[in-house]
């Protein structure tokens, strides 16, 4: 009987999970997504080609692996079809090895309009949503009125669709908008709806299964499974910087509900963070930099959203938030990404604690979204050297090793893996994984 390993982001998303899941995939038989939807953008780069996945698990590039979209995930059929077709155009067959839970929920065109209407209505207090319909679709799930993938196999699916659409129109109208107030991906609602309905036929061709049975059977027969998280722990619906969060459980606990596996089944937890911090959209970000260091991080780290293209906000690494994440997720292996982005800095700062109303704390506060938080930093000497191509920890510059050791001591956890470029091969295994 195998355990299920987990890989997830410890910050505000965009930690570089796609690369690590791709590096780890050879060790596993099945890669499973357990939450989120097309708001995610997992970038993988190999053989000189960059691939961005939104809904499909990152194991899709390995022919012999199975990939599962679990019940906790949201599927937007038009985006799903585009993603499959884009992979096909690059010679990747994403049909044979992909399975979909019949309990995964669907994002309707009117969910996307609802997202746009809600955000516009909120004005300056908007969340900065990716506008993929995530919040409204999960709202319907909890309200027990959602449309699930299994529903499209029933003859009455159009009635279910129409009923849900009508409830969205009532909501949109109550905010002072209508079906034509917003376009969806540059086209009108009517045109998009036609595409969406046609995409359901495409979706039906996939293996739509009771994935919780399939996955537990696979674990019982000794198969190795990796659960691939999306977004990051600081965007978790319960523990993130509420209300500036996404609408799903992005932490290890979400693996149990998003795939149907028991807590005792969880094995290793690979927690991914950057050597600094980024955030897209609105919300608190205690270590955000508004100076040339912030711009340097953005330019060197190519910090622009892979789903929306928005420039990401950049700042120093935030240890109170990171320690909170490690605690919530039960991280067994810490993975540090994008260390090469710090190559040009002569000084690197690390936030150890926050000062809030003259009190000093290393805890992530309840009122993170309203408090005035001053980050307290320690400074480390930069290594001022290109580290690309170094693939042994001992050969890294000594200033960089001092920085890594300081993080380990402050967090009370060993760094297991260090990534030194977007390429698969530029990965240092400091600990045995
Ligand atoms: P939503 O998930 O589209 O509703 O967006 C809610 C918040 O989460 C916004 O601030 C988004 O920018 C952020 N967000 C959602 N998905 C991602 C992601 O994959 N990476 C980083 N931020 C994300």
């Amino acid at each position: 009987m195998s355990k299920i390993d987990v890989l997830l982001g410890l910050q505000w998303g965009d930690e570089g999970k796609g690369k690590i899941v791709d590096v780890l995939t050879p060790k596993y038989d099945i890669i499973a997504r357990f939450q989120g939807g097309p708001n995610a953008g997992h970038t993988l780069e190999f053989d000189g080609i960059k691939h961005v996945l939104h809904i499909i698990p990152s194991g899709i590039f390995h022919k012999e692996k199975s990939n599962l979209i679990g019940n906790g995930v949201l599927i937007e059929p038009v985006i799903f079809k585009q993603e499959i077709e884009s992979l096909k155009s690059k010679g990747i067959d994403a049909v044979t090895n992909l399975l979909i839970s019949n309990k995964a929920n669907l994002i309707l065109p009117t969910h996307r309009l609802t997202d746009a209407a809600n955000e516009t209505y909120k004005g300056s207090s908007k969340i900065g949503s990716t506008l993929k319909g995530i919040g409204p679709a999960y709202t319907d799930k909890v309200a027990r009125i959602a449309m699930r993938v299994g529903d499209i196999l029933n003859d009455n699916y159009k009635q279910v669709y129409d009923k849900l659409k009508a409830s969205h129109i009532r909501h949109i109208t109550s905010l002072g908008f209508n079906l034509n107030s917003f376009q969806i991906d540059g086209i009108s609602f009517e045109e998009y709806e036609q595409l969406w309905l046609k995409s359901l036929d495409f979706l039906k061709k996939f293996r739509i299964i009771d994935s919780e049975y399939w996955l537990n059977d696979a674990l019982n027969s000794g198969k190795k499974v990796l659960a691939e998280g999306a977004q990051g722990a600081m965007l978790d619906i319960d523990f993130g910087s509420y209300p500036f969060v996404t609408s799903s459980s992005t932490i290890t606990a979400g693996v149990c509900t998003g795939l149907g596996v028991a807590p005792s089944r969880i094995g290793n937890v690979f927690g991914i963070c950057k050597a600094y911090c980024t955030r897209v959209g609105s919300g608190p970000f205690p270590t955000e930099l508004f100076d040339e260091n912030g711009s340097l991080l953005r330019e060197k780290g190519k910090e622009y959203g892979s789903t929306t293209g928005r420039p990401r906000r950049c700042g120093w690494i935030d240890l109170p938030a990171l320690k909170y994440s490690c605690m919530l997720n039960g991280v067994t292996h810490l993975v540090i990404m994008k260390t090469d982005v710090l190559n040009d800095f002569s000084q690197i700062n690390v936030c150890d604690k926050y000062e809030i109303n003259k009190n000093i704390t290393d805890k992530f506060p309840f009122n993170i979204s309203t408090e005035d938080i001053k980050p307290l930093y320690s400074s480390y000497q930069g290594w001022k050297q290109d580290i690309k191509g170094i693939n042994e920890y001992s050969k890294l510059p000594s200033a960089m090793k001092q920085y890594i050791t300081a993080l380990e001591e402050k967090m009370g956890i060993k760094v297991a893996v260090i990534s030194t470029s977007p390429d698969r091969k530029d990965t240092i295994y400091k600990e045995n994984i």
Side-chain angles (χ1 to χ4, degrees):
M1 203 204 317
S2 302
K3 296 235 172 189
I4 177 166
D5 288 349
V6 183
L7 178 144
L8 41 70
L10 298 175
Q11 296 164 318
W12 279 283
D14 309 315
E15 295 90 353
K17 298 177 284 292
K19 169 176 166 175
I20 297 300
V21 83
D22 185 53
V23 165
L24 290 179
T25 296
K27 297 177 190 288
Y28 295 90
D29 303 300
I30 299 167
I31 311 296
R33 278 277 306 268
F34 59 95
Q35 49 71 232
N39 50 348
H42 293 176
T43 307
L44 293 91
E45 208 169 311
F46 48 86
D47 303 333
I49 305 174
K50 192 169 162 177
H51 304 270
V52 183
L53 298 173
H54 300 286
I55 310 176
I56 296 168
S58 302
I60 205 70
F61 301 103
H62 301 254
K63 276 196 196 115
E64 65 295 354
K65 313 286 169 189
S66 297
N67 290 273
L68 172 68
I69 299 181
N71 57 283
V73 176
L74 299 175
I75 297 186
E76 208 280 25
V78 179
I79 299 178
F80 174 77
K81 182 165 180 272
Q82 283 164 354
E83 199 168 329
I84 300 277
E85 284 170 351
S86 153
L87 286 167
K88 194 174 169 203
S89 71
K90 292 174 184 159
I92 294 146
D93 166 27
V95 180
T96 320
N97 298 334
L98 185 62
L99 298 102
I100 302 174
S101 165
N102 51 12
K103 297 179 188 67
N105 284 215
L106 289 174
I107 299 179
L108 273 58
T110 40
H111 280 133
R112 299 193 57 185
L113 290 185
T114 305
D115 218 355
N118 287 346
E119 285 282 84
T120 310
Y121 185 77
K122 281 185 183 145
S124 60
S125 58
K126 68 177 183 182
I127 304 291
S129 153
T130 59
L131 300 178
K132 303 292 179 200
I134 303 293
Y138 277 125
T139 301
D140 282 353
K141 175 177 182 170
V142 180
R144 300 165 292 188
I145 54 173
M147 195 171 167
R148 301 186 293 173
V149 171
D151 293 331
I152 64 175
L153 304 176
N154 296 333
D155 292 340
N156 70 342
Y157 79 89
K158 188 66 175 36
Q159 280 148 272
V160 177
Y161 170 79
D162 286 335
K163 198 169 162 202
L164 198 49
K165 174 182 161 186
S167 85
H168 297 154
I169 294 174
R170 282 194 296 279
H171 173 73
I172 292 167
T173 311
S174 76
L175 297 181
F177 302 104
N178 61 48
L179 287 179
N180 299 313
S181 299
F182 308 96
Q183 290 197 320
I184 308 177
D185 292 343
I187 59 175
S188 70
F189 170 78
E190 283 74 18
E191 281 174 278
Y192 200 87
E193 185 182 45
Q194 288 314 309
L195 276 182
W196 192 90
L197 289 167
K198 277 200 204 116
S199 302
L200 293 185
D201 291 330
F202 182 79
L203 185 55
K204 277 184 203 165
K205 291 185 202 146
F206 286 77
R207 277 189 286 166
I208 297 173
I209 58 165
D210 285 314
S211 61
E212 62 280 29
Y213 281 111
W214 180 83
L215 196 64
N216 279 283
D217 285 348
L219 288 167
N220 288 341
S221 67
K223 290 261 187 311
K224 297 212 162 14
V225 184
L226 181 68
E228 176 184 12
Q231 291 81 52
M234 291 298 100
L235 289 170
D236 180 73
I237 183 70
D238 284 279
F239 300 105
S241 50
Y242 196 86
F244 299 97
V245 292
T246 190
S247 298
S248 63
S249 184
T250 60
I251 59 174
T252 303
V255 174
C256 299
T257 52
L259 289 173
V261 292
S264 56
R265 289 283 206 178
I266 303 290
N268 294 318
V269 179
F270 298 95
I272 319 288
C273 67
K274 281 181 194 166
Y276 51 98
C277 241
T278 62
R279 168 158 213 168
V280 263
S282 331
F285 183 0
T287 60
E288 183 167 10
L289 291 167
F290 300 94
D291 58 6
E292 64 278 10
N293 283 331
S295 312
L296 189 59
L297 287 173
R298 185 173 311 105
E299 293 321 309
K300 288 273 164 197
K302 300 194 180 68
E303 296 295 355
Y304 295 89
S306 40
T307 301
T308 57
R310 292 180 289 181
R312 296 181 185 138
R313 300 155 64 194
C314 298
W316 297 120
I317 198 163
D318 179 341
L319 297 190
L322 211 46
K323 284 195 284 188
Y324 186 52
S325 270
C326 287
M327 175 187 84
L328 295 169
N329 287 301
V331 171
T332 57
H333 296 79
L334 187 61
V335 180
I336 303 207
M337 307 300 295
K338 297 186 99 164
T339 50
D340 53 315
V341 173
L342 299 179
N343 283 351
D344 293 341
F345 286 82
S346 29
Q347 182 182 306
I348 295 165
N349 286 351
V350 169
C351 169
D352 298 316
K353 291 190 165 87
Y354 302 142
E355 187 184 316
I356 308 171
N357 296 328
K358 300 206 172 91
N359 293 317
I360 294 179
T361 179
D362 67 348
K363 302 262 185 312
F364 193 75
F366 170 76
N367 286 333
I368 179 89
S369 298
T370 49
E371 295 285 4
D372 188 16
I373 297 176
K374 184 175 165 218
L376 302 178
Y377 291 111
S378 304
S379 295
Y380 296 86
Q381 199 196 326
W383 42 94
K384 297 283 268 172
Q385 176 184 331
D386 188 0
I387 52 170
K388 192 172 163 53
I390 303 180
N391 44 23
E392 264 178 57
Y393 184 71
S394 61
K395 295 193 176 142
L396 286 172
S398 60
M400 181 167 172
K401 284 188 281 192
Q402 275 164 24
Y403 171 74
I404 299 283
T405 307
L407 294 183
E408 288 181 325
E409 283 171 5
K410 287 173 187 216
M411 296 189 49
I413 179 168
K414 288 267 178 226
V415 172
V417 182
I418 301 167
S419 169
T420 57
S421 104
D423 203 290
R424 244 185 213 171
K425 61 185 187 315
D426 290 323
T427 311
I428 297 174
Y429 298 91
K430 185 169 166 294
E431 300 291 320
N432 190 6
I433 60 164

